Amino acid sequence: MVSHEFRSPLAVIDTAAQLLSIKISPVSDCTPIVSRIRRGVMRLSSFLDNCLTEDRLNSNGLALEPAAIDLQELTASVKDSAKLISGAHQIITELEHGLPTLEADPQLLRILLLNLLGNAIKYSPTASQVRLCISCNGLSCIFKVIDQGLGIPAEEQSLVFQKYMRGRSVAAIPGAGLGLALVKSIVELHNGSIEINSRGNVGTCVTVVFPLKLAINLTTKRPL
């Protein structure tokens, strides 16, 4: 019910904004306003996805819905969405040639990547680079999200995956403190791993490793 009641009007707003962007001149004074509308829709949609996914993860049982994921297609879609989060950052994707398909829950993987990219954008200077790199070592798929942002203090790096945890240095930047906790839960459900390497005022690299084949019983619910 919540999903329907929010998504329907958000879809209408975004569709109207896209039609406006087609009809108006690229140099029109309205162009930045239309972009702000679409970014606002994206932020609300992402927040809704996070809340609903957290509820799904906290239910009595969870059945993953895996599929064979084309990483080229997924990356293109995620990059387009990340551009709506901010039009002022350089979103760069680097994919290893000949990537195999990945067996994972496509909705959860998309939410994971958008949370990591959203964090990288949020805590990075305007016009800086945010990179999504994907490679494979034969048994695993490796995702890296790299930014040139504020960095995470060493004493806080072990705490960032706690729900609602936000660092002192980013207290003035809006956020719910839910994204990284959600990311960690999604990683664990896929029997993967996550690691953060960060230096203050240099940037952060988040590395997520997923097994190419999901080695769990996919036909039954998995208790959390």
Side-chain angles (χ1 to χ4, degrees):
M1 181 187 69
V2 170
S3 178
H4 175 75
E5 292 298 324
F6 278 87
R7 290 185 194 278
S8 294
L10 286 174
V12 171
I13 294 168
D14 191 49
T15 300
Q18 291 183 60
L19 290 173
L20 281 172
S21 67
I22 294 171
K23 292 181 177 295
I24 63 178
S25 167
V27 295
S28 167
D29 292 340
C30 294
T31 300
I33 298 173
V34 173
S35 297
R36 286 181 62 190
I37 292 171
R38 297 205 67 199
R39 287 197 297 271
V41 169
M42 179 64 192
R43 284 196 299 271
L44 284 171
S45 296
S46 296
F47 181 69
L48 178 62
D49 282 340
N50 283 352
C51 291
L52 293 177
T53 302
E54 188 205 8
D55 184 67
R56 177 184 169 193
L57 294 174
N58 288 334
S59 63
N60 292 330
L62 171 66
L64 293 178
E65 299 176 5
I69 299 173
D70 184 315
L71 292 168
Q72 295 277 356
E73 292 182 2
L74 174 70
T75 303
S77 173
V78 167
K79 182 177 181 179
D80 286 343
S81 296
K83 287 180 178 178
L84 291 178
I85 298 174
S86 170
H89 288 76
Q90 302 176 58
I91 313 297
I92 298 172
T93 55
E94 300 174 3
L95 277 70
E96 187 177 77
H97 179 70
L99 285 172
T101 57
L102 170 67
E103 188 177 85
D105 187 310
Q107 181 185 6
L108 293 181
L109 180 56
R110 177 180 171 82
I111 289 171
L112 178 150
L113 292 176
L114 283 176
N115 269 290
L116 293 180
L117 288 170
N119 274 357
I121 289 168
K122 186 187 300 184
Y123 303 123
S124 296
T126 300
S128 64
Q129 291 185 357
V130 172
R131 294 161 53 210
L132 169 60
C133 307
I134 306 178
S135 60
C136 176
N137 64 8
L139 296 175
S140 303
C141 185
I142 303 162
F143 302 87
K144 291 181 181 287
V145 175
I146 305 165
D147 65 48
Q148 300 171 321
L150 300 172
I152 305 170
E155 65 273 15
E156 295 180 358
Q157 290 183 24
S158 62
L159 306 174
V160 294
F161 295 114
Q162 296 181 14
K163 194 181 297 184
Y164 311 124
M165 168 64 188
R166 305 198 70 226
R168 294 188 301 274
S169 61
V170 299
I173 301 175
L178 183 60
L180 284 179
L182 193 57
V183 164
K184 189 171 189 294
S185 295
I186 294 171
V187 169
E188 290 175 345
L189 282 169
H190 287 83
N191 294 322
S193 63
I194 184 168
E195 179 182 356
I196 291 181
N197 289 297
S198 186
R199 293 174 59 194
N201 297 317
V202 174
T204 299
C205 174
V206 181
T207 302
V208 172
V209 180
F210 270 24
L212 285 174
K213 299 297 181 182
L214 200 54
I216 63 171
N217 184 356
L218 302 173
T219 61
T220 60
K221 288 188 175 181
R222 175 180 180 167
L224 296 178

